Amino acid sequence: MKTLGIYIHVPFCVQKCRYCGFYSVSCDRGLMNEYVSAVCRNIRRYADPARSIDTVYFGGGTPSLLDNLQFDTVLSEIYRCFRLEADAEITLEANPHTLFFDKLCKLRKTGINRLSLGVQSMKDDELKFLGRLHNAECAERAVLAAASAGFDNISCDLMLALPGQSPERLAYSIERLTLLPIRHISAYILKIEPGTPFDCDEIKAAIPDEDVAADLYLSMAEMLCERGFFQYEVSNFAENGYESRHNQRYWRCEEYIGIGPSAHSCYGGKRFAVESDLEKFISSPVQPIYITDESPCGFEEYAMLRLRLREGLDLRNTEKHRQMLEKKLPPLMESGYVNFDGNVISLTSKGFLMSNSVIGYLVF
């Protein structure tokens, strides 16, 4: 039986960032305790002592607002209900301003062994524009404190195509980040999410156009490669051996269970999601879900997700579609968007930049 991943959505935030479209609510200590009880109740709902768990991911929101006892409670429930592997990757998303050395030491003792820090930039004016509650110095202190507390697997988020972000300003953030003891960087081009404060004409007019964003993306990929962070997915770069094992589940169509309001799952032959309603999640005996896909991981989805990875799509695993795919390759190869070794189609850095268009052309 294949291993399983668990995603826990922690919806609490001190302050919602101006660009964020994820489901979150204000921080409330009373609700947090009720939320943790509901998480444990739902872990028991999916319990399978014969099933091995090799990745756990606390996402949000701001998961690091939970205290160490609450993390210990949730992880202990997972231990009781599944077979948590000894080398399981257990990731916590965290905002730098919520971390300090004593808390980090206690988090490490709970079993959390990977941190994903929402740094976004090492320029204070860019952080202020994004509505972050930390500055660059705070981010640096958090990374160094985490390393001192025993975390060897630290990832940082980086945001591209911010208003006024020149190649030199982006290079400054990359250089300052990669001098820190981190192993992984997730880099995203700023996207205007509907209904967020950034969804307005003023911000849309201020962000760089597609050509500038493309130049920033390609220069970032080159800089990170020079510093030992290879691109293994459209938006993710890591030192060898430090790729996100949990996120790779998504791109490889492997099973995972999502728990918490707005969490998604691919489990039992279906994709489903939890309603984005904390009160309903807490009050319901079983988290309220709705089906998003009755038969996931067909050819189109499988190919689309595999092509997001540097390792690419192996046509030996989809011989039925080989002829169709090979016919479409010549113009993409001539334009420098894909590589093809006779069996595996993989995107180049230029192809990753245009991944939606390239994958759409190839697969659909």
Side-chain angles (χ1 to χ4, degrees), residues 65-310:
L65 289 173
L66 296 182
D67 63 36
N68 299 296
L69 178 59
Q70 290 168 326
F71 285 117
D72 191 56
T73 299
V74 172
L75 289 170
S76 294
E77 196 66 56
I78 293 173
Y79 271 110
R80 281 191 288 270
C81 294
F82 298 92
R83 292 172 52 202
L84 187 61
E85 295 194 350
D87 66 343
E89 175 194 85
I90 305 177
T91 302
L92 170 66
E93 286 185 352
N95 284 351
H97 75 278
T98 65
L99 299 179
F100 48 90
F101 181 71
D102 184 57
K103 177 169 184 167
L104 286 159
C105 290
K106 291 177 180 176
L107 286 172
R108 191 70 188 85
K109 288 180 180 177
T110 67
I112 293 168
N113 52 30
R114 183 175 185 270
L115 294 176
S116 177
L117 304 186
V119 174
Q120 314 305 355
S121 172
M122 294 300 279
K123 285 285 191 180
D124 288 346
D125 58 337
E126 293 179 349
L127 291 169
K128 184 177 181 180
F129 165 77
L130 292 170
R132 305 297 289 175
L133 294 175
H134 66 274
N135 58 23
E137 184 180 352
C138 174
E140 188 171 299
R141 283 200 309 267
V143 172
L144 294 174
S148 295
F151 285 94
D152 179 55
N153 195 347
I154 303 172
S155 174
C156 288
D157 288 349
L158 179 65
M159 195 163 285
L160 286 69
L162 305 179
Q165 189 180 53
S166 63
E168 292 75 21
R169 290 176 67 84
L170 177 59
Y172 174 85
S173 285
I174 292 171
E175 183 172 1
R176 194 164 169 188
L177 272 180
T178 53
L179 287 172
L180 296 172
I182 66 173
R183 305 287 192 172
H184 185 284
I185 288 179
S186 295
Y188 307 99
I189 293 175
L190 175 62
K191 181 182 176 184
I192 305 300
E193 298 289 348
T196 64
F198 273 15
D199 186 16
C200 64
D201 292 340
E202 179 185 359
I203 298 298
K204 290 176 181 177
I207 60 176
D209 63 27
E210 289 185 359
D211 289 338
V212 173
D215 289 342
L216 290 169
Y217 178 92
L218 292 173
S219 65
M220 172 207 64
E222 184 177 355
M223 284 190 67
L224 288 176
C225 181
E226 290 171 353
R227 286 158 175 76
F229 292 79
F230 77 94
Q231 186 172 21
Y232 70 97
E233 192 269 343
V234 172
S235 300
N236 288 278
F237 304 76
E239 293 182 356
N240 283 317
Y242 287 91
E243 303 88 341
S244 169
R245 287 163 54 192
H246 183 84
N247 286 342
Q248 286 185 94
R249 305 193 75 88
Y250 305 152
W251 306 316
R252 291 174 175 163
C253 276
E254 296 173 353
E255 283 197 313
Y256 57 93
I257 295 171
I259 294 174
S262 86
H264 286 248
S265 302
C266 183
Y267 181 69
K270 298 183 187 298
R271 287 194 187 278
F272 53 92
V274 185
E275 292 183 31
S276 298
D277 187 326
L278 176 60
E279 291 185 4
K280 188 177 287 189
F281 173 74
I282 288 173
S283 63
S284 302
V286 177
Q287 60 183 5
I289 64 169
Y290 57 94
I291 303 297
T292 58
D293 193 339
E294 291 281 1
S295 54
C297 301
F299 164 71
E300 288 85 1
E301 184 181 13
Y302 171 78
M304 178 183 69
L305 292 172
R306 293 295 304 195
L307 286 167
R308 286 185 61 92
L309 291 166
R310 175 68 77 182

